[in-house]
Each structure stands twice: as C-alpha cells, then as structure tokens.
Amino acid sequence: MNSCTATPAYINTPKAQQSGENFFIQQFQVSCLGQFSYYIESNNEAAIIDPMRDYEEYIKFCESRNSVIKYVILTHLHADFVAGHLDLAKITGAQIVLGPQAVTQYQVKIAQDEELLPLGRAYLRVLHTPGHTLESSCFVLVVDGKDHVVFSGDSLFLEEVGRPDLASKSSGLTTQQLAQLLYNSLKNKVMKLNDDVILYPGHGAGSSCGKAIGAGTVSTIGEQKLKNWALQNITEEEFVKISTDIPAPPQYFFHDVQLNRQGANDLQNIKSKVTKALSYQEFTQVAADGALILDSRDIINKGIIKGSINITQVATLASFVGILFKPDQRIVIVADEGKEEITIIRLLRIGYENILGYLEGGFDNYVRNGGEVQQLNIVDLKDFLNTNDQPQNHVFIDCRNPVEFKTTGIIPGSLMIPLFQIENQLDLIPKDKTLHIYCRSGARAKTAATILLQHGYSDFVLIQNAGHEHIVKEHQIQVQKVE
C-alpha cells in the first residue's frame, strides 16, 4: 500500500510580494548590502520598515498605489547602512517608530512591547526582541485578528541570527550577555508565533550582520524551526558559544550606528555637494594630495590608474569600502561612463561622504591625457589551463572569508588571507614568486591585487570570472578541509 505525506503549508515558499483583502506587502532588496526593506499597506495607509538612505523609490511606489505613508519603522538602529527614515518622515509627515529602549537625538515614537500600531484595517504588533541590540524589535502584521507576517529585522535571519556583538559598548553589556538576551527573545517571543507566519528578515546572504545567513529572501516560522540552528533544542550556553564565535564586524559599522542615532545629513544636500565632474587636472591634483582613487569599473583588462584600488560595481562595493577604509577617507572616483552616480549613492548608503568628485570621461580620459597606468595579468580560465604554467608553480592566495574556508575547503598549500586582512599580513606574501590570487568570483581577487600593487607586488595571475570552485574542478584538485 502506497502512502504519501502532505507537505505542511509553511514549507511552501512565500514570495517577496504578498497581498490579501486587507493588506499588501512589497519587499525591496539592495543586493550589494544584502539588505531588505518593506512596504506594508492596508486601506491606503502604508508603513515603511528599515528604509535605505536613498528613499525616492518608496515614495514613488507609495504614489503608484495612491497611499499615504503613516509610519517609518526601524527594527533597530542599524550598523551596516544609513537609514532613510529622517528624510522620509520629513517629506511625508510620517511618524518614526522604534522599539523599547531606543535612544536617539531626534524625536521618535518609542513603541512598547506588544503595542498595536493601527494601519488601515490591520495592525502592526511590536515584539521587543533584544539581543542584536537592546532596542531590536520584530513587527507582526495582524490581519483580521490573525498573525500573518513577522518582520524580524536582525533578530532572526534565514538559517541564522543577528550578531550579538555590536551593542556591547553602547549598552554596557558584554557580547555574551547580549547573546543571552537574544536566546531568550527567540525562545520566548519568536518561536511562539504560529508555524505558518511568514518571515521577512532584515538581511539576506552576503550581509555582515549575521555569520552565515542562508540563501533566499523570505521563509516561514515553521520552516526556520526546521532549518535554523538557533531554533533547535539547544541550551543557552550552546547558543551563546555559537553566536559569539564570529569575525570582528566591519569598521564602518560603529560609524553608521552613530549616524542613525544622531541623524544623518539630508541626502539630497550631500548628494548634490559630492556629485562633481572633475577635469583630468583637477583629478590628478586631488589624487596627489592623498585622496583614495576608487576605481569602480567592472572590467580592468586595459589596466588601472596608478595608485587606484579597484572595487567593482559587481562586487559588494559599499561593504568592501567600509571594511577596507575609514569613514573619513577622502575619495575620488573612476567609474564606467554613466555609473558615477550609483557609485556615489553606494558610498552614501554607508555614510561615506568625504567624496571629492569623479573623473569626467573616466579611465579613457585619463589615458588620453597621458596618465600613468598599471597592468594586471588577467586571463580567461581556458587560456590559463592551456599554458604550461601549472598551479603548483604559483603561490596561491585565497582571499575569501573564513566561513568560506570552512565551508568549501582550500587548495592545499594556499595562503588563507581574507581580503580585509591583506594589508596586515604582507609579511606572509613573497615578492619573488608568481602570485595566483583568487576568491569565489574574482571580484575580491582584483581588489586584493590592486592593494598589493601599492605595496610593490607586480607578478600576478588573475583568472577572469573564475574562482575557487572553478579552479578546483578544472584542475581536479583535492581540497584541504579547514576546521
């Protein structure tokens, strides 16, 4: 006799857009930061949760739906990006809402635990879930008296939780104490939600706000009870040990959380100030005065401007800049034509405002004027495999992250030097050998190579559009496990 087991409703994957008779939800994604924000609407009243600094898209979307923004909600004071709540509230008249224990230098509504915020024919219920930060809160969309969706902020991600080490200075608590708070928030608040409640997290894979966030953009509480290590039957001690075993946060995080606490500059004012086209002469002068030349071009086969650092638009440009350079770094931009403004926007999203402008005409203009260019040996994987120069003749530098080392292993004998540590470990990198620099996709490798160029290294091989997995597969290399 054949038998079959029905798939629980909470396993069926929800979508980025949800709608019903009395509500509408739209998820917005900024992939370069792994960040999600949300538009929630009921009966022509809307709330925006965790808006990005470049807020125009939310206003246009709201206008297209003939609704009025009633609330601008922050699930917590963010560390990885500058939120657009102040500009949105100023333009729309919406009320800014944060959870209990939030401290800001501007006027907001501090919501209470379990408070109901009326929104059209629905409600947003506040669940105070401290741990990631003290004010961290989830917001539950209640429709027709039933919990329908939870917007979990940085308390709960897909297959991961928020890091508990960001608020130790401001809260006076240790990272371990914050992890204990998060454990109890999850057990006593989030896990008590019904399994069919849809989960919309604050971040996805690639964000530094969690150690190893899973792929995907939306889930359910029931699915996470099955897949998320933090929602299993583990002790508080085990949870604290796992959640606090995490690399140090990017340096810009503490800058951004302070901007969100005190209030950032008006976006349009700062944007108009820094979006300046520079002539070749102006560009070379500010570069000579010590400004960082940020090359955001995706393809650099023709070379790079001497002294520049390549962080591509394909890569997570904002977070790479935030990891490698201090927030007050003076920056001048070289971008692909037509992409100057998006490069500037990505920097402003993380509060990097000391932008002196961009080179008009880009790299080609620099070359036409006789500017000095440095070359990188960038080859296709096929061409590399057809040469007699085999991998064993190279010093392999793996500039991926520690989590990736553990997940997929390393090429035996390679130097494990994450991109954000490269300048601190130059003594490990020989100058008398060919350096084969790689990562997962090639973007971090190009950044690493341009950094090493500034320190006198010149003999590189970079494989275009190929990383660790490609190299291992094509050369049939047995990877070495990393504990």
Side-chain angles (χ1 to χ4, degrees):
M1 179 178 176
N2 293 329
S3 65
C4 66
T5 302
T7 301
Y10 55 79
I11 298 300
N12 297 327
T13 305
K15 298 179 180 180
Q17 187 181 98
Q18 298 281 332
S19 61
E21 183 178 352
N22 290 319
F23 74 94
F24 177 90
I25 299 168
Q26 178 65 53
Q27 181 186 63
F28 295 87
Q29 181 176 0
V30 176
S31 57
C32 67
L33 289 170
Q35 193 269 346
F36 303 131
S37 55
Y38 298 94
Y39 171 95
I40 307 103
E41 173 199 312
S42 178
N43 196 31
N44 301 116
E45 289 187 344
I48 309 295
I49 293 182
D50 293 334
M52 291 299 299
R53 191 176 191 182
D54 41 321
Y55 56 83
E56 295 96 332
E57 187 174 9
Y58 308 109
I59 293 178
K60 290 178 181 177
F61 192 83
C62 187
E63 290 174 347
S64 73
R65 294 191 56 82
N66 196 31
S67 292
V68 175
I69 300 176
K70 183 176 183 180
Y71 305 114
V72 181
I73 297 171
L74 296 188
T75 55
H76 62 292
L77 293 170
H78 297 277
D80 61 309
F81 70 95
V82 178
H85 55 302
L86 284 171
D87 283 343
L88 262 178
K90 180 180 178 181
I91 292 169
T92 66
Q95 185 175 44
I96 299 173
V97 180
L98 279 109
Q101 296 184 256
V103 178
T104 67
Q105 296 177 22
Y106 44 87
Q107 187 173 0
V108 300
K109 172 181 172 57
I110 303 298
Q112 300 304 306
D113 190 27
E114 296 293 342
E115 182 175 349
L116 292 173
L117 303 174
L119 185 72
R121 295 192 180 99
Y123 292 91
L124 287 167
R125 189 172 85 252
V126 182
L127 284 186
H128 187 211
T129 51
H132 178 64
T133 66
L134 284 184
E135 75 280 355
S136 286
S137 298
C138 300
F139 290 81
V140 180
L141 178 64
V142 182
V143 182
D144 299 326
K146 182 180 183 296
D147 293 346
H148 186 70
V149 172
V150 59
F151 301 94
S152 61
D154 287 19
S155 294
L156 182 67
F157 302 130
L158 273 59
E159 301 174 34
E160 190 54 272
V161 296
R163 57 190 307 150
D165 60 340
L166 298 181
S168 56
K169 291 182 180 180
S170 60
S171 68
L173 300 177
T174 66
T175 297
Q176 287 69 27
Q177 288 171 322
L178 287 163
Q180 290 171 340
L181 285 176
L182 183 54
Y183 174 85
N184 284 287
S185 292
L186 295 173
K187 294 294 182 183
N188 298 326
K189 295 287 186 67
V190 176
M191 289 189 69
K192 290 188 176 180
L193 294 170
N194 290 336
D195 286 351
D196 63 352
V197 171
I198 296 169
L199 171 70
Y200 280 122
H203 294 287
S207 168
S208 296
C209 290
K211 181 164 57 175
I213 302 175
T217 63
V218 58
S219 182
T220 62
I221 292 297
E223 185 175 39
Q224 289 309 297
K225 286 179 180 177
L226 294 175
K227 293 183 176 182
N228 196 315
W229 68 266
L231 303 189
Q232 306 310 305
N233 186 25
I234 61 175
T235 66
E236 182 180 281
E237 183 179 1
E238 290 172 321
F239 178 90
V240 170
K241 182 179 179 180
I242 296 171
S243 64
T244 58
D245 179 20
I246 191 168
Q251 59 179 340
Y252 82 95
F253 271 29
F254 302 101
H255 170 71
D256 279 20
V257 74
Q258 183 57 30
L259 281 180
N260 284 323
R261 191 183 305 281
Q262 71 186 27
N265 292 321
D266 178 275
L267 175 64
Q268 298 306 326
N269 287 341
I270 191 66
K271 182 179 168 184
S272 63
K273 178 181 176 183
V274 302
T275 307
K276 296 187 297 186
L278 302 178
S279 67
Y280 172 80
Q281 291 75 19
E282 292 171 324
F283 173 84
T284 54
Q285 183 59 58
V286 296
D289 290 341
L292 165 68
I293 304 173
L294 176 62
D295 183 344
S296 66
R297 295 176 300 142
D298 294 332
I299 300 174
I300 57 173
N301 296 51
K302 295 180 180 179
I304 63 169
I305 294 172
K306 184 178 181 181
S308 65
I309 302 296
N310 176 252
I311 305 178
T312 72
Q313 296 284 0
V314 173
T316 51
L317 181 143
S319 60
F320 282 13
V321 170
I323 289 170
L324 294 169
F325 305 105
K326 295 186 182 300
D328 60 355
Q329 173 70 55
R330 297 166 66 243
I331 298 173
V332 63
I333 294 167
V334 179
D336 289 319
E337 188 173 358
K339 293 187 177 180
E340 300 88 356
E341 185 172 336
I342 187 57
T343 301
I344 290 170
I345 285 294
R346 289 188 177 189
L347 293 173
L348 294 179
R349 282 174 178 166
I350 61 167
Y352 280 52
E353 300 180 353
N354 203 355
I355 304 168
L356 306 179
Y358 62 89
L359 174 59
E360 188 171 22
F363 181 77
D364 290 342
N365 182 29
Y366 183 83
V367 173
R368 283 194 298 270
N369 280 277
E372 188 173 356
V373 172
Q374 293 176 299
Q375 297 295 334
L376 293 169
N377 184 21
I378 304 175
V379 299
D380 289 325
L381 181 61
K382 181 179 178 181
D383 294 335
F384 178 73
L385 294 172
N386 288 337
T387 69
N388 293 320
D389 192 13
Q390 293 300 306
Q392 58 264 30
N393 301 323
H394 292 235
V395 174
F396 276 67
I397 300 178
D398 187 339
C399 61
R400 296 176 300 151
N401 295 328
V403 170
E404 294 171 281
F405 298 153
K406 294 180 181 180
T407 303
T408 60
I410 64 168
I411 294 174
S414 62
L415 299 177
M416 295 182 291
I417 307 179
L419 173 62
F420 60 86
Q421 295 179 0
I422 202 114
E423 286 195 287
N424 297 325
Q425 299 194 31
L426 295 174
D427 57 325
L428 300 177
I429 305 174
K431 286 188 175 180
D432 59 349
K433 294 184 181 296
T434 298
L435 304 179
H436 183 112
I437 308 172
Y438 69 98
C439 55
R440 183 176 59 84
S441 65
R444 281 172 287 184
K446 286 193 290 185
T447 300
T450 56
I451 291 173
L452 289 173
L453 274 175
Q454 316 315 318
H455 292 278
Y457 295 84
S458 58
D459 191 1
F460 303 115
V461 173
L462 294 175
I463 295 181
Q464 187 166 249
N465 301 322
H468 172 81
E469 293 181 4
H470 295 85
I471 298 166
V472 167
K473 179 180 179 181
E474 295 297 335
H475 286 292
Q476 299 181 341
I477 297 172
Q478 184 66 40
V479 299
Q480 175 183 334
K481 291 185 177 181
V482 177
E483 299 299 329

